Amino acid sequence: MTTVYELSHLDLLEAESVHIFREVAATFEHPVLLFSGGKDSVVMLALAAKAFWPAPLPFGVLHVDTGHNFDEVIEFRDRVVDRMGLRLHVARVQDDIDAGRVTEDTGPRASRNRLQTVTLLRAIREGGFDAVFGGARRDEEKARAKERVFSFRDEFGQWDPRNQRPELWNLYNGRHRRGEHIRVFPLSNWTELDIWSYIAAERIELPPIYYAHRRPVVQRDGMLLAHTRFLRLLDGEEPYEATVRFRTVGDATCTGCVESTAASPAEVVAEVAATRVTERGATRADDRISEAGMEDRKKEGYF
């Protein structure tokens, strides 16, 4: 009698991601995992824990902190770090502003999101990190669809889409010279629906703002922005309360929310399955600067 072993779609994605984590641990000397407390980085951390269980993670986590965070997300980040006994590195944009390495924009539409590039590259250089795990997925945005799983960055931290390595048969080339590094994307082949299906199946905890809740919001440029202490109102804008949730979490000045009553992972899965707009397209104001806005930032060294 022949026994047939079949893996589900999520099992295959999980196995691929676990393989990537183990490849990096075997190849690089000093990797680090970008961890903001957002859903993709939470899933990435859960996969990394599976890859090395029962041993602790062989690398630390890094948060590039704009200083304009949602309080619920920072509280969640610190709680996870404490529970798992992780080594947390925090690189603060405010430090680069104070040192004059970047200039903060002013005005009601100002955001620190783009300033993160300088802070990230400084953290990589000062930490001596040769591989950086990121939670980017190819379905998020057109520029990210060009990424390899191992994304080569030169000595200036810059990305050249024409200077990337082939990845046939899941073989990854991590060779690099001193000063260069590799961005690694274990979730490359996942979609937003896959992420939420995995969260539901594995019962992964997330910050509460990913589920429906009441909060003051402001309508701006076709988006709903949370009315926080970081958001300056434009003339004529009037905050009002709505039942919303966040599809993605970033800088509070440019991350929008969507009206929703989805209060559980299963309900979010059903909602995401019906949507036709990517999460970044629907809720990230910083991606609307130009058609090639994300690609331009990635060439400068952005995530």
Side-chain angles (χ1 to χ4, degrees):
M1 180 177 177
T2 303
T3 302
V4 179
Y5 294 96
E6 293 185 358
L7 294 177
S8 70
H9 174 64
L10 286 181
D11 288 337
L12 287 170
L13 289 174
E14 179 188 79
E16 179 186 53
S17 298
V18 164
H19 168 67
I20 292 166
F21 276 112
R22 291 172 177 168
E23 280 288 299
V24 170
T27 304
F28 294 87
E29 292 183 0
H30 199 191
V32 72
L33 185 147
L34 290 173
F35 182 68
S36 64
K39 72 179 188 311
D40 296 313
S41 65
V42 171
V43 168
M44 191 167 57
L45 184 62
L47 290 164
K50 279 199 174 188
F52 302 107
W53 188 90
L57 291 189
F59 43 77
V61 297
L62 168 65
H63 182 206
V64 179
D65 183 0
T66 66
H68 292 167
N69 303 289
F70 292 98
D71 295 334
E72 302 96 323
V73 178
I74 293 300
E75 186 276 330
F76 175 83
R77 180 203 71 183
D78 292 342
R79 184 155 45 85
V80 170
V81 165
D82 183 64
R83 185 182 75 236
M84 296 183 65
L86 302 174
R87 302 190 306 274
L88 173 64
H89 309 270
V90 179
R92 295 179 172 83
V93 170
Q94 186 64 52
D95 292 342
D96 291 297
I97 295 173
D98 294 342
R101 289 184 286 265
V102 295
T103 302
E104 185 170 17
D105 294 334
T106 58
R109 295 183 183 272
S111 171
R112 290 184 174 184
N113 201 53
R114 186 165 186 150
L115 305 184
Q116 292 180 89
T117 298
V118 171
T119 306
L120 172 63
L121 295 179
R122 174 175 61 81
I124 292 172
R125 183 176 63 255
E126 292 177 352
F129 302 122
D130 54 0
V132 182
F133 293 105
R137 307 185 321 270
R138 288 171 179 152
D139 72 319
E140 289 182 274
E141 203 275 341
K142 288 182 289 186
R144 285 182 164 169
K146 297 181 180 181
E147 285 279 20
R148 302 288 198 270
V149 174
F150 275 33
S151 178
F152 172 77
R153 303 300 171 106
D154 64 19
E155 64 270 27
F156 303 105
Q158 296 175 329
W159 173 70
D160 181 354
R162 297 167 299 180
N163 186 27
Q164 301 298 317
R165 290 102 181 245
E167 294 181 340
L168 303 177
W169 307 294
N170 290 335
L171 297 176
Y172 305 113
N173 182 356
R175 297 186 64 180
H176 61 284
R177 294 189 291 266
R178 184 177 296 275
E180 300 169 342
H181 70 276
I182 304 292
R183 306 279 175 90
V184 183
F185 301 109
L187 304 180
S188 286
N189 292 323
W190 297 59
T191 66
E192 183 184 9
L193 182 58
D194 293 330
I195 292 291
W196 276 105
S197 297
Y198 193 76
I199 289 167
E202 297 290 316
R203 299 182 179 180
I204 296 173
E205 183 187 4
L206 292 179
I209 64 174
Y210 276 107
Y211 302 106
H213 60 285
R214 297 284 294 178
R215 74 159 58 229
V217 296
V218 174
Q219 184 81 240
R220 180 182 295 179
D221 300 330
M223 291 174 47
L224 288 179
L225 296 177
H227 185 219
T228 68
R229 61 187 179 278
F230 309 117
L231 189 71
R232 290 179 55 186
L233 297 178
L234 300 174
D235 290 342
E237 288 184 336
E238 189 68 37
Y240 64 95
E241 276 216 348
T243 301
V244 299
R245 72 173 187 87
F246 287 83
R247 291 177 66 184
T248 184
V249 169
D251 189 294
T253 62
C254 63
T255 303
C257 48
V258 295
E259 292 193 81
S260 171
T261 58
S264 70
E267 291 175 350
V268 175
V269 167
E271 189 174 272
V272 171
T275 190
R276 293 295 177 266
V277 181
T278 66
E279 63 202 83
R280 293 193 70 92
T283 64
R284 291 301 290 269
D286 55 314
D287 285 347
R288 302 183 179 188
I289 53 176
S290 73
E291 183 70 20
M294 172 64 83
E295 183 159 341
D296 292 340
R297 281 181 290 165
K298 286 173 66 64
K299 289 178 179 178
E300 296 169 356
Y302 190 69
F303 305 121

